[in-house]
Amino acid sequence: MPEYRADVLVVGAGPTGLAAAAELALAGVGAVVIDALPGRSGQSKALALQPRSAELLDARGWLEPLRPHVHARLPKGHFAGLPLDYAALETRFPHQIAVEQARIEEVLEERVAAAGSPVRWSHACTAVRQDDDEVTVAVETPTGPIEFTARYLVAADGAHSAVRRALGVPFPGRAARMRMAVADIVLARRPPGLADEWAPPEFGGGGFGYLLPLGGGVHRVLFGGEEQQSLDRSEPVTAAEVQRALEAVHGDGVEVGEVRWGSRFSDASRQVERYRHGRVLFAGDAAHLHLPAGGQGLNLGLQDAFNLGWKLASVVRGRAWTSLLDTYHDERHPVAARVLVNTRAQGVLTVPDPDLLAVREVLGDLLADPAANRRVAGEISGIDVRYPGADPLQGRRLPDDLAEQARASLLAARPVLIGPEVLREIAEPWGDRVDFASASATGILVRPDAYIGWAASGPHDIDGLTGALAHWLGAPVPHSTLR
Ligand SMILES: Cc1cc2nc3c(=O)[nH]c(=O)nc-3n(C[C@H](O)[C@H](O)[C@H](O)COP(=O)(O)OP(=O)(O)OC[C@H]3O[C@@H](n4cnc5c(N)ncnc54)[C@H](O)[C@@H]3O)c2cc1C
């Protein structure tokens, strides 16, 4: 059987796997990406980027190529359809960016291909084994089975992860209680009063049905009524089924012309207990699964990849200690755990109940309060993600007012120390792997994923800086020169 070697094997060319591979490439580590599909389907489950993902893609210069595909800036997010005003967020992107998942994947795939290792489609992972030194993956290809051996494996193969199953990694949580369908349709007759803008969900008829205009006469419909509960995941979504679902909500003034694409999903809510299993790192839907409420899944996966990529690259290049990989779990697991909580809560707010509208009215009133809106918007948008940290700033995202000083470094996915000249001397032994930007501001160490790795408490404070540099960047190298 043919055998291949790679530093890192990424299983799954969805947004998470592609972002992880693009990050690794930027940090000088070649990853091989495989995917079971024969090629990109061109279909999009997710339709929008949350503000924190927009900040991260922008930091790498990857938002720019998406601009021609952006349908709209959506000033509001939502919690179970109740509007959240993103104007309250302290970010240069106080809105969602309406752009299809397929376009995001295309841009990331281009980065991966440009690094010299295009995605290997029609490569399905069928078995995985690992020892202390390497991980070996059996792969089924159109020309027969092959074997890949890698130092690390990123399991980004989605909700039904073959890697998870092959390693016997449990996926604990709650099984599906609601089954739903999604379809992109052309309407032969529009229901009266249908908005041409992003509309909140409407409730009625024992189910729910969102109708979102995608442009070009196509609407995205999401629905989940009684009929969907008994249908298997593999059943195709038919025009007659969509018609019945829309009539339940909009009455008989609506007529479905054509179903362009359809798929089924559920409110199952699960998360792996540890994101790292030896040399295997779980990310995206392979690590966490939840109701796609509020538009968070793709964004979580992207942010997993931005957290993992630079750490894995540092370890593979022998610069950082392998324990750095454990911080990926420590930082990202609680973030997804919290999303599982908010999506389960959102699920309850869509379950048919005679008093559902009353509960929604009360919650809607509460969310109209600026403090409540800011709190929930901060969570759903990813802007308030905060990793564990020793001081008030450590673990927070880089604020916009320092983004310009960090820009050149973040474009290259390099950490940067910003502050007075004295910090440059202290960081000298890490000069091969951290940039320096002189500023009168008090010192701050910005990680490659635009989170703060260390912050001075005042203008002359250097406490903890060398410890933080060693923690994030590995052992110091004497006599190097800062760029
Ligand atoms: C209806 C719906 C609407 C959604 N809307 C939003 C939204 O608005 N915003 C948002 O943020 N998220 C949304 N999501 C969630 C989002 O689409 C997912 O979270 C996202 O696709 C996860 O990306 P991923 O790369 O982790 O996994 P996936 O996108 O599932 O990619 C996994 C890849 O792995 C491949 N693979 C699987 N098995 C193997 C194997 N054995 N070998 C090799 N490759 C394999 C698959 O072919 C696939 O390409 C929505 C989801 C649904 C169902």
Side-chain angles (χ1 to χ4, degrees), residues 12 14-16 35-37 45-46 101 125 157 162 285 295-299:
T16 306
D35 198 290
L37 291 175
K45 290 181 283 186
Q101 177 166 340
C125 158
D157 53 342
D285 280 14
Q296 301 172 87
L298 165 138
N299 289 273

Side-chain angles (χ1 to χ4, degrees), residues 424-444:
R424 184 198 291 267
E425 286 158 39
I426 294 170
E428 229 275 331
W430 289 270
D432 59 333
R433 65 204 97 143
V434 62
D435 295 341
F436 180 78
S438 180
S440 54
T442 50
I444 201 164

Side-chain angles (χ1 to χ4, degrees), residues 45 160 178-183 222-224 227-238 241-242 244 261-267 292:
K45 290 181 283 186
H160 307 282
M178 287 193 286
R179 292 178 197 285
M180 287 147 276
V182 57
L222 288 157
F223 56 97
E227 180 179 355
Q228 284 67 48
Q229 307 316 311
S230 56
L231 294 173
D232 189 74
R233 198 161 58 88
S234 57
E235 293 268 351
V237 179
T238 64
E241 182 190 352
V242 180
R244 285 189 290 277
W261 166 76
S263 174
R264 298 186 188 279
F265 63 99
S266 79
D267 70 338

